[in-house]
Amino acid sequence: MMTTKLLQRKTNRLFLLLLAVCMVFSACPAHAQALSTEERVVRVAYPLQPGVTDIDEHGNYTGYTYEYLEEIAQYTGWNYEFIQLPGTLDENLSTMMEMVKNGEVDLMGAMVYSDELGKQFDYATYSYGSGETVLQTLYDSPLDTTINSQVQQTFRIAVLGEGSVRERELESFCEINLITPEYVRCATEEGQMQALRDGRADMMLNASMNYMDGVRTVARFAPKPFYFVTAKGNDTGLMEELNAAILSIEQADPAFPTKLYEKYFSPPNDTLYLSESETAYVENAGTLKVGALTGQPPYQYQDENGRLTGISIDLLTYISEHTGLRFEFITAASLEELYELARAGKIDMMAGIPYDYDFAREHDVSMAQPYISSQYLIMMNETASEESIRGKRLALLSSSTYRGEFVGQVVPFETISDCIHAVVGGKADYTYVDAYTAQYYTNLPQYKNLKLVPQTYDPRRVCFGVVKPGSRDLLSILNKINTTISEVDMQSIINQNITKKPPSSLGDFVLEYPVESMTVILIVAIAIIAILLIFLRQRAKMNKKNALELKKHFRVYALMNEYFFEYNYSTDVMIVSTPPKETEKQPDLLEFDFKKPVGEREDERRAFLGIIRSGKDGIHEARLLCIDDRRHWLRIALETVYDNDTPAYAIGKINIIDEEVREKETLLEKSQHDSLTHIYNAETSFTLAKEALESLKGGETGALLLIDIDRFKSINDTYGHLQGDEMLRRTANLLQSSFREEDIVGRPGGDEFMVYMKSVRDSGVLADKCAYLCAKAHEIFVAPERHLTFSIGAVIAVPGTNYDELYRLADHALYQAKEQGRDSFRLAGLAE
């Protein structure tokens, strides 16, 4: 041991350097087989430092460097002898450095490189960690200590001593970031903490790996790697093995040092502290509207009472209780509905969205840190095989953020519930779910037979989204909750949403009263067996009787060669017997389960079921889509069988009456139309015009036109009746093409025609129509030198007008047109 003042000063400076980077000794216990076949015992300097080289309450070695050394041992096969000395940490560091130089210790960690130290020790080629200088403030400090490099700021900073390396690093950082530091000099670390608590300092200067309870880091700078060292000129091969092991660790798990740092120097903080601005935001935010896509158990869904529940909802309730924020939930049945709520500014947040940057950018939201991270599983039905999913149907959320290739055929669905139901119902072969979703569903009896296959993809991460432009304070509060909520509270929220309370059981009673329980069970069993024997005997008789009845029904159905049906109200199942295709055979039975949807034909099937369930016994006729994918006219004879006042069965028969309907339609067509011109005959014209006139309402007007072919008798006498009939047909064609489809065009008889217009704006429009008909008549030629002319009488119809009066006025106007030389028209009561 060296005792001179010079050595003491040197060792003190070295100690300060070691503290600046938070010297750490550690290595994980491992189970891998050592790669080296030669066992080496390595003597390691082990000064006790919290989080660096430490011993826990059970006497076990722990700390950053310890775990790293143990990981090195997995590659080297080394065993360690950890050297500890009595005295203070300063004394231990000085003494152990001398022991390394003298060969009394083989290895020492957490050494920062300098030219001076490089002359005294051999350094490993690769560092095994890095430390930084940091500025820290109290967790519960109400001050906003955000550093803004764009504006001049002044901060009071508690520092240890004067003129240290760390202080020089701070001065460079402050110069770059426009900070004017006001130093509060302290003799100890506890003095720095007290300066923060007393409000004499805004921040304290520290090393990142020098853990202190109750503070949070607001700035990091001056990173410095640290190394293992051995005695100068050590040629035992130890350094060669050490370098190879560190390189292997780095290649196998580049994040290993980061994980050790977080384990020992970033312990979880379970106390929530809000800054001044965050507290002000809570007080002024009012009620925040949260959009929640339903159908996403266990994250957000509606329970059997219609109440919104789930992990996301319960976590927001927890946030409300611990921060004072208030939330109002607005449900959305589809993703598009949720996005529309955000675009319209009707919500402030989204619950349960994927933690995905592309998703956030596309939907204009800011993401809080994820509050759920869960492994992905493949969920498939019991008939599927997990050996290969290539070419199978994959039920996938339409909102999936995955943009790569698929090995299966993708079938998109709106919610994860839809995806799982598609797998259960055979519309898809498999889907991807996270472990929490899988546990929720497999706890339910109807999903117990689904297969689950773990996947190695990145886990599913779920977070809250703040709709832009959102509040930075709100995002910060959500993130603070993520870091401060205890694992117990978070797991409690998860567990109560992914597990269902099992049904009541007699198990506990049986265990508590075994004798009494067995006696009761034996008595009940004997009674049940006796009842079953009686029931089976009666059932056998009934089955035999039913078989004879069914055989009889089948023979009757076969003889009648018709369709018969029986519908069961309780099961929603219909049995239809079809006529046998060959003689001496029983009819075929078709079963239709109306509980199972049939896709595009569902509406058609429901229309048929509506007739059956109407309870209106008797004859129904309807044109429906049938099992041959064609529409047919059906005559359904229906009879409902009741159990007291409740319908139990509907029975009846079905006839296809396409031909009968066609015959009726043909007869009706013939009865209503003139056989020569195929327009309405006199009786139909009168009936339809009268109905149209009676349907006129206040402010509406119609019109009646009577049209005669001038001198039609001379056409028959001169050119023959065949030519006369042709003129009648062409006149009918002209009238049909000149009026709307809803207008009534008819031939009361002979050469007289009538038109009833259902809507006429005014008499000017009516006059134009009459003039048009007179002009078009000139285009119909009886012979090369002779064309037709019309005489027309017309009258405007108003509500309340009697049809006979209207006809008389039109007929009088027609007479006036003929009196004035024909080939003209007159409107009743008006001069031309």
Side-chain angles (χ1 to χ4, degrees), residues 279-455:
T279 302
Y281 175 80
V282 171
E283 293 174 352
N284 301 311
T287 300
L288 298 173
K289 294 180 171 57
V290 182
L293 176 65
T294 57
Q296 304 289 312
Y299 297 101
Q300 58 259 359
Y301 61 101
Q302 290 175 309
D303 61 17
E304 58 274 10
N305 299 318
R307 184 178 66 90
L308 189 64
T309 187
I311 296 172
S312 303
I313 310 306
D314 289 351
L315 182 54
L316 285 171
T317 301
Y318 175 94
I319 292 172
S320 180
E321 293 171 352
H322 287 76
T323 66
L325 286 172
R326 299 186 300 276
F327 301 105
E328 175 187 346
F329 299 107
I330 299 177
T331 59
S334 68
L335 287 166
E336 187 52 44
E337 184 181 343
L338 181 64
Y339 302 152
E340 181 57 37
L341 289 172
R343 286 192 293 267
K346 295 181 178 179
I347 57 176
D348 305 299
M349 293 173 53
M350 292 183 186
I353 68 171
Y355 187 76
D356 181 87
Y357 293 115
D358 291 335
F359 177 93
R361 183 167 46 254
E362 179 182 355
H363 300 293
D364 213 21
V365 297
S366 299
M367 298 182 297
Q369 288 298 305
Y371 54 86
I372 287 290
S373 180
S374 179
Q375 179 188 20
Y376 270 110
L377 310 170
I378 285 182
M379 178 179 281
M380 58 182 68
N381 58 46
E382 59 182 338
T383 61
S385 170
E386 62 269 25
E387 296 175 358
S388 175
I389 58 174
R390 189 171 299 279
K392 301 293 180 63
R393 295 167 299 169
L394 166 61
L396 193 68
L397 284 174
S398 56
S399 63
S400 171
T401 57
Y402 178 70
R403 298 294 180 265
E405 296 182 355
F406 295 95
V407 296
Q409 174 190 351
V410 176
V411 184
F413 293 92
E414 278 293 318
T415 66
I416 193 63
S417 294
D418 295 336
C419 292
I420 295 174
H421 291 155
V423 173
V424 174
K427 293 181 180 179
D429 299 301
Y430 72 103
T431 189
Y432 289 101
V433 298
D434 64 87
Y436 293 138
T437 301
Q439 187 171 351
Y440 171 86
Y441 278 97
T442 54
N443 281 334
L444 304 176
Q446 60 268 41
Y447 302 106
K448 282 191 176 296
N449 293 329
L450 291 173
K451 294 181 181 178
L452 299 174
V453 182
Q455 300 299 294

Side-chain angles (χ1 to χ4, degrees), residues 144-324:
D144 291 327
T145 51
T146 302
I147 296 174
N148 186 348
S149 63
Q150 304 302 308
V151 298
Q152 189 73 42
Q153 294 175 289
T154 299
F155 291 112
R156 297 168 301 166
I157 302 174
V159 298
L160 273 175
E162 185 172 353
S164 66
V165 173
R166 226 179 288 167
E167 189 174 323
R168 291 196 296 272
E169 292 168 346
L170 171 62
E171 289 172 353
S172 297
F173 174 78
C174 290
E175 182 178 353
I176 294 171
N177 291 278
L178 303 181
I179 296 173
T180 300
E182 293 180 358
Y183 295 120
V184 179
R185 301 197 179 277
C186 305
T188 63
E189 292 175 351
E190 179 55 37
Q192 288 179 287
M193 289 291 292
Q194 192 61 46
L196 292 179
R197 297 189 194 103
D198 295 344
R200 292 181 289 112
D202 304 313
M203 307 174 186
M204 65 175 284
L205 186 64
N206 196 11
S208 62
M209 298 170 73
N210 182 32
Y211 175 72
M212 299 184 69
D213 192 27
V215 294
R216 56 187 171 89
T217 299
V218 295
R220 298 174 180 271
F221 49 93
K224 293 172 285 294
F226 49 84
Y227 304 83
F228 290 108
V229 299
T230 62
K232 196 72 176 176
N234 184 325
D235 60 354
T236 62
L238 182 144
M239 187 60 76
E240 182 180 355
E241 292 182 52
L242 177 68
N243 286 331
I246 294 175
L247 182 60
S248 296
I249 293 170
E250 174 67 24
Q251 292 174 342
D253 185 3
F256 184 64
T258 302
K259 288 185 282 190
L260 287 183
Y261 178 88
E262 292 178 351
K263 178 177 180 180
Y264 289 105
F265 301 104
S266 294
N269 179 59
D270 58 0
T271 304
L272 176 66
Y273 299 110
L274 300 183
S275 66
E276 284 182 334
S277 63
E278 290 165 350
T279 302
Y281 175 80
V282 171
E283 293 174 352
N284 301 311
T287 300
L288 298 173
K289 294 180 171 57
V290 182
L293 176 65
T294 57
Q296 304 289 312
Y299 297 101
Q300 58 259 359
Y301 61 101
Q302 290 175 309
D303 61 17
E304 58 274 10
N305 299 318
R307 184 178 66 90
L308 189 64
T309 187
I311 296 172
S312 303
I313 310 306
D314 289 351
L315 182 54
L316 285 171
T317 301
Y318 175 94
I319 292 172
S320 180
E321 293 171 352
H322 287 76
T323 66

Side-chain angles (χ1 to χ4, degrees), residues 19 29 194 207 230 234 337 462 480 489 573-574 782 808 818:
L19 287 181
Q194 192 61 46
T230 62
N234 184 325
E337 184 181 343
V462 180
K480 285 184 176 180
D489 287 338
V573 172
M574 174 179 285
V782 183
R808 186 188 65 77
K818 287 180 177 292

